[in-house]
């Protein structure tokens, strides 16, 4: 058993987290939602408070709302259910006109008053229209979404939906101009209440925030690239070990394998355990089923600690291992004891006793909430705030928004370094998405919906 000295184990200070708006800052947006606009769209770049808004809406939005996400991992982080499982829609391209709600889902849909969908940038147009048709049929109401209020949250200029070329062609034949949620037919039938979140809380350097905004929108790219290269194409700042962000699993795996191979001890194997409706063979897991850790390994926490000693994205070095826990010296903080934790898969049901929706736990996955963190993929880093980041774009970003997501994880230019200079060609922008987003951000709904500028 490899354990630290008792004198080393002391509570860390509360984890540093980005400055976020106080809950009362969301009074305007919550009021817009509360007024019952049929469709509310909340869009904002990285670090603008969207997650905090979701927490506020969950606390104050009542018991007849469901929180959904397009992927299993996103649903686990949200504490909600996937869109596909909630509606019983197969995880493939669907012709919305052929969707029929499952009989066992009808009762729940009839009781639903609000549907909140996070990570809307990854929701395809055909899926959103399938949601619309399911609700109309189940509720016997021909109005958009069957009269259920829908709140869409995310950023179309971050990671897009996955659409193979063959399916993209079929979407065109079905009459879609593009694959994004804003291309859905249902959006042509209802007015959208627009809530742009523009104030950035993750970074405080106005120049860095401005460069990131330019790269996100695809404007003044050459100038922004030159400024970031001038500040960050260098060795990483002395005394800090950064997390490397790379576009592909292969690149990340190579970094983590090399890091682990430099450590001489055998290490310890932690096996994940699933119960109920949690399929280890097919579900994408927040932590691998077989996790190998060694003393000296660089790791990242992938859950928030209830006592706030660490947060999702806290990075540190393993200094001791026990059968059901690891001791980690967090960067810039103390040593913490991280035990196994459980992720819950939920399913919404109607609760007659409370007269509201009940989030029933139907499966759990238990494992140490740690992953090797010499490197992490850009996709898995979405939503994180990192103090020290080194970006390896390798042969280049392969998806629109990927470079922006990577760069915007850094809290500061001082904590950002680049393996190779950033190139204008790394900044991939879908011009239709950029035009939609810029028009959206120039508008807002009502005086009670501040734009957080």
């Amino acid at each position: 058993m490899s354990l630290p000295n008792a004198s080393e184990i002391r509570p860390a200070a509360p984890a540093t987290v980005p400055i976020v708006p106080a809950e009362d800052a969301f009074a305007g947006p919550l009021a817009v939602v509360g007024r019952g606009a049929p469709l509310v769209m909340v869009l904002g770049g990285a670090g603008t408070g969207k997650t905090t808004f979701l927490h506020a809406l969950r606390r104050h939005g009542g018991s007849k709302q469901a929180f959904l996400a397009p992927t299993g991992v996103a649903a686990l982080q949200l504490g909600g259910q996937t869109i596909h499982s909630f509606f019983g829609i197969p995880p493939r391209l669907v012709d919305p006109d052929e969707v029929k709600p499952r009989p066992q889902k009808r009762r729940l849909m009839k009781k639903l008053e609000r549907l909140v969908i996070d990570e809307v940038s990854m929701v395809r147009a055909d899926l959103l229209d399938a949601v619309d048709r399911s609700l109309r049929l189940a509720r016997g109401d021909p109005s958009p979404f069957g009269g259920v209020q829908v709140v869409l949250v995310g950023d179309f200029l971050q990671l897009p939906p996955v659409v193979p070329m063959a399916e993209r062609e079929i979407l065109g034949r079905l009459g879609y101009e593009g694959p994004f949620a804003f291309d859905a037919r249902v959006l042509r039938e209802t007015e959208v209440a627009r809530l742009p979140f523009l104030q950035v809380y993750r970074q405080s350097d106005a120049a860095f925030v401005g460069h990131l905004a330019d790269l996100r929108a695809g404007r003044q790219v050459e100038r922004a690239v030159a400024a970031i290269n001038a500040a960050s194409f260098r060795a990483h700042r002395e005394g800090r070990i950064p997390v490397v962000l790379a576009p592909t699993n292969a690149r990340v795996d190579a970094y983590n394998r090399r890091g682990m191979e430099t450590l001489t001890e055998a290490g310890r194997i932690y096996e994940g355990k699933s119960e109920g409706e949690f399929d280890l063979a097919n579900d994408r897991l927040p932590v691998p089923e077989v996790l190998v850790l060694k003393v000296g390994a660089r790791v990242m926490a992938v859950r928030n600690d209830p006592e706030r000693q660490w947060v999702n994205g806290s990075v540190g070095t393993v200094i001791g291992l026990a059968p059901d826990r690891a001791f980690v010296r967090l960067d810039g903080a103390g040593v913490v004891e991280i035990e196994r934790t459980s992720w819950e898969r939920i399913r919404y049901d109607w609760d007659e006793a409370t007269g509201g929706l009940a989030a029933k736990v139907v499966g759990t996955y238990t494992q140490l909430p740690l992953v090797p963190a010499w490197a992490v993929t850009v996709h898995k880093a979405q939503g994180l705030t990192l103090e020290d980041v080194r970006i390896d774009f390798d042969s280049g970003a392969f998806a629109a928004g990927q470079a922006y997501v990577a760069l915007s994880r850094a809290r500061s230019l001082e904590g950002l370094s680049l393996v190779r200079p950033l190139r204008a060609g790394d900044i991939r922008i879908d011009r239709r998405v950029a035009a939609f987003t810029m028009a959206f951000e120039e508008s807002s709904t009502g005086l009670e919906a501040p734009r957080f500028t």
Side-chain angles (χ1 to χ4, degrees):
M1 187 180 298
S2 178
L3 298 175
N5 296 325
S7 61
E8 290 186 280
I9 304 173
R10 57 184 176 82
T16 56
V17 296
I19 298 172
V20 297
E23 190 169 290
D24 58 8
F26 294 110
L30 289 172
V32 171
V33 174
R35 289 201 298 264
L39 180 61
V40 181
M41 193 175 284
V42 178
L43 301 184
T48 55
K50 299 186 296 296
T51 298
T52 307
F53 168 76
L54 285 168
H55 291 325
L57 184 57
R58 190 190 297 276
R59 283 192 293 271
H60 301 293
S63 62
K64 296 182 180 180
Q65 57 182 356
F67 288 76
L68 308 182
T71 68
V73 171
L76 288 174
Q77 297 291 358
L78 179 65
Q81 193 171 348
T82 65
I83 300 169
H84 293 92
S85 65
F86 184 87
F87 287 99
I89 299 170
R92 56 174 171 76
L93 186 146
V94 292
D95 182 346
D97 294 336
E98 297 179 358
V99 169
K100 295 180 180 179
R102 295 179 181 177
Q104 64 268 32
K105 300 283 185 181
R106 287 179 181 268
R107 184 163 179 262
L108 179 61
M109 292 186 205
K110 286 180 179 179
K111 299 290 188 179
L112 187 65
E113 292 183 356
R114 178 181 299 128
L115 185 66
V116 183
I117 299 178
D118 193 20
E119 301 288 6
V120 69
S121 71
M122 293 189 283
V123 177
R124 288 167 32 158
D126 57 309
L127 179 57
L128 191 60
D129 278 333
V131 167
D132 169 51
R133 180 171 172 81
S134 294
L135 288 169
R136 294 192 203 207
L137 291 176
R139 296 166 63 87
D141 185 337
S143 57
F145 298 108
V148 173
Q149 183 187 44
V150 173
V151 181
L152 304 176
V153 182
D155 180 13
F156 287 109
L157 287 170
Q158 294 193 43
L159 300 180
V162 177
V163 189
M165 186 55 66
E167 294 188 3
R168 190 177 291 266
E169 293 174 3
I170 295 172
L171 284 173
R173 292 176 191 160
L174 291 172
Y176 290 103
E177 188 176 353
F180 297 93
F182 62 75
D183 291 311
R185 301 167 191 165
V186 66
L187 266 64
R188 306 170 198 163
E189 300 181 37
T190 183
E191 184 177 351
V192 178
R194 299 173 175 86
L195 296 177
F197 282 18
L198 303 180
Q199 175 67 47
V200 175
Y201 297 94
R202 179 172 293 147
Q203 296 91 11
S204 58
D205 179 344
F208 188 27
V209 169
H211 298 324
L212 290 175
D214 286 342
L215 295 181
R216 175 172 176 263
R219 61 181 178 236
Q220 303 185 82
V221 169
E222 296 283 356
R223 187 179 74 171
V225 164
I228 289 175
N229 282 336
S232 304
F233 178 50
R234 53 176 170 76
H236 200 76
R237 58 179 170 177
E238 190 175 351
R240 303 292 188 93
I241 306 174
V243 176
V244 176
L245 299 186
T248 65
N249 284 314
R251 193 75 167 176
V252 165
D253 290 345
Y255 273 107
N256 286 330
R257 185 172 56 252
R258 287 198 298 269
M260 201 67 78
E261 288 172 351
T262 63
L263 306 176
T264 56
E265 74 160 45
R268 186 179 287 275
I269 297 173
Y270 298 87
E271 295 185 356
K273 178 184 178 182
S274 67
E275 295 181 345
E277 297 178 19
F278 221 112
D279 184 355
L280 293 182
N282 297 311
D283 283 330
R284 291 184 61 188
L285 301 173
V287 180
E289 182 184 2
V290 177
L291 174 67
V292 178
L293 294 180
K294 298 180 181 181
V295 170
R298 295 289 291 167
V299 292
M300 176 187 292
V302 292
R303 284 291 294 272
N304 291 332
D305 173 37
E307 298 181 3
R308 306 296 288 174
Q309 292 187 79
W310 66 85
V311 296
N312 184 22
S314 292
V315 178
T317 302
V318 175
I319 66 166
L321 298 170
D324 61 350
R325 66 198 64 201
F327 299 88
V328 179
R329 178 178 287 109
L330 298 178
D331 292 355
V335 174
V336 294
E337 184 176 343
I338 299 181
E339 300 176 297
R340 292 180 186 269
T341 190
S342 293
W343 288 262
E344 296 178 339
R345 171 147 292 163
I346 74 160
R347 182 173 63 229
Y348 285 103
D349 288 315
W350 182 254
D351 188 331
E352 289 287 0
T354 63
L357 269 67
K360 178 182 178 183
V361 177
V362 296
T364 61
Y365 175 64
T366 303
Q367 178 61 293
L368 283 186
L370 295 170
V371 294
W374 286 277
V376 175
T377 63
V378 175
H379 189 276
K380 289 181 180 177
Q382 190 169 18
L384 298 182
T385 299
L386 299 172
E387 296 290 342
D388 286 272
V389 186
R390 186 164 177 81
I391 297 176
D392 180 358
F393 282 119
D394 193 16
S395 58
F398 61 82
Q402 198 173 49
Y404 167 73
V405 171
L407 293 164
S408 62
R409 298 313 94 195
R411 195 194 290 273
S412 66
L413 279 170
E414 291 76 19
L416 172 67
S417 65
L418 305 173
V419 172
R420 67 155 173 82
L422 185 64
R423 299 190 291 251
D426 294 321
I427 312 304
R428 302 187 61 177
I429 303 291
D430 186 308
R431 294 297 168 184
R432 284 186 65 246
V433 174
F436 172 86
T437 303
M438 295 307 105
F440 183 97
E441 292 182 348
E442 290 171 1
S443 65
S444 62
T445 299
L447 295 177
E448 293 185 70
R451 304 192 326 151
F452 297 109
T453 54

